[in-house]
Amino acid sequence: MTSSYGPWGIVLGGSDGVGVAFAHGMAARGINVVLVARRVPVLEQAAALIRLKYGVEVRTVSLDLSTPDALAELERRTADLEIGLLVYNAGADTSSVAFLDRDIDGHLDLVRRNCSGPLEAAHRFGAPMVARGRGSVVLVTSGAAWAGGATLATYGATKAFDLILAEALWAEWRDSGVDVLGLVLGRTDTPSHRRQAEAKGDAYDTAGLADPYRVAEEALDHLADGPTWISGSPDPTAGSPFAAMKRRDAVLAMSRGAATAAGKKADGRH
Ligand SMILES: NC(=O)c1ccc[n+]([C@@H]2O[C@H](COP(=O)([O-])OP(=O)(O)OC[C@H]3O[C@@H](n4cnc5c(N)ncnc54)[C@H](OP(=O)(O)O)[C@@H]3O)[C@@H](O)[C@H]2O)c1
């Protein structure tokens, strides 16, 4: 993998859940990793374990990806490294509420972290990859991207942005030696997902949730199988499972799915 992509990888949102699973998978393949997240103790603990287990170099960068200059700062703090593999993982919405029940700053934070962040990361780190003629970019998205749904307005819209961005970059870079993968996840057992359930007062049941390490391994084995990989699907390169439905039916189905997960009515009310 280092000869295909380069000596360093970077995981934005790399200290727990799917992100740290990606970092373990990359380190196991001999790649040094930069881990980016906000909480320093969680970052340092993740980094120490990866160094100990795989003997690779690990750099930690504590940043809030919902702030406007985060990506410029990250580029400065990794300017001495050849980053060949980028995974933009941070993206979960920990409070799934009706659109007007979240203040405008909360929506804008989500848009900065989930849209501006992946776009800037792909531009700042993708340009040197294309110039070198090797590299890989993974944008982690969600089944929430397939259709709009009540309580998922901004989250689903940002994840649709990530899906379309990944597909477009795949089309532009496919002959340049840079692989791009839009990774569509279903419900996965991560600390964020657990916190979300606990915040709503729901019991956390891992039955039916994907394992983050399996998700990351599957993606790392299929970096070259873009543009889109639907994790855990029997047909991972197929189209949207909603594609055959009328849009109205797809939106109502998505709303029912979100409501079932949150124990709410389909319009977002409890
Ligand atoms: N888990 C699921 O069920 C599920 C389902 C569908 C799609 N997905 C997608 O999978 C990806 C990973 O989800 P996840 O459940 O593992 O949770 P996540 O909260 O998206 O990712 C956790 C990681 O991101 C970091 N992070 C979160 N917000 C950040 C910010 N503003 N700035 C910097 N780092 C940040 C966390 O560390 P800090 O908190 O310390 O910053 C941690 O390292 C997301 O893109 C999500 O949309 C997840």
Side-chain angles (χ1 to χ4, degrees):
M1 191 170 262
T2 48
S3 59
S4 301
Y5 296 124
W8 281 84
I10 186 164
V11 188
L12 295 93
S15 64
D16 70 21
V18 177
V20 81
F22 263 106
H24 277 259
M26 285 151 70
R29 289 163 174 78
I31 294 195
N32 304 308
V33 283
V34 181
L35 305 180
V36 184
R38 293 165 299 181
R39 290 165 299 161
V40 173
V42 185
L43 257 180
E44 293 307 335
Q45 204 178 356
L49 183 60
I50 292 170
R51 283 187 199 104
L52 185 71
K53 223 169 151 185
Y54 308 101
V56 298
E57 286 185 64
V58 183
R59 182 176 296 183
T60 57
V61 181
S62 171
L63 278 177
D64 183 347
L65 294 165
S66 62
T67 57
D69 10 341
L71 270 298
E73 174 68 11
L74 183 59
E75 190 181 26
R76 273 193 296 278
R77 288 165 68 176
T78 55
D80 57 319
L81 307 178
E82 182 188 330
I83 306 279
L85 175 48
L86 177 143
V87 178
Y88 201 106
N89 169 71
D93 181 7
T94 45
S95 64
S96 163
V97 292
F99 183 68
L100 294 178
D101 289 345
R102 187 201 301 261
D103 65 24
I104 192 73
D105 290 335
H107 286 293
L108 290 173
D109 278 353
L110 214 51
V111 169
R112 275 190 292 269
R113 189 195 57 185
N114 288 8
C115 300
S116 309
L119 184 152
E120 266 200 67
H123 202 282
R124 291 176 184 279
F125 293 95
M129 290 182 199
V130 171
R132 285 193 294 265
R134 66 173 185 173
S136 179
V137 172
V138 178
L139 303 185
V140 181
T141 177
S142 162
W146 297 132
T151 75
L152 293 170
T154 305
Y155 175 68
T158 66
K159 293 284 126 181
F161 180 97
D162 296 337
L163 180 74
I164 299 296
L165 180 65
E167 290 181 344
L169 296 180
W170 176 87
E172 288 195 16
W173 295 348
R174 57 190 297 229
D175 296 325
S176 72
V178 178
D179 297 326
V180 181
L181 192 70
L183 178 64
V184 182
L185 299 193
R187 293 200 171 94
T188 305
D189 182 15
T190 66
S192 267
H193 198 59
R194 178 183 288 271
R195 280 195 296 274
Q196 194 179 351
E198 286 170 355
K200 287 181 204 132
D202 298 342
Y204 189 68
D205 184 0
T206 55
L209 300 185
D211 174 78
Y213 285 85
R214 283 221 188 130
V215 166
E217 278 302 306
E218 186 190 5
L220 287 168
D221 285 344
H222 292 281
L223 293 176
D225 295 326
T228 311
W229 188 267
I230 309 173
S231 182
S233 163
D235 191 1
T237 55
S240 156
F242 291 84
M245 297 168 89
K246 289 190 183 301
R247 292 302 294 175
R248 183 178 190 278
D249 294 336
V251 169
L252 292 175
M254 181 65 82
S255 301
R256 276 193 302 276
T260 308
K264 292 176 183 166
K265 291 181 185 162
D267 61 1
R269 290 173 298 167
H270 286 281

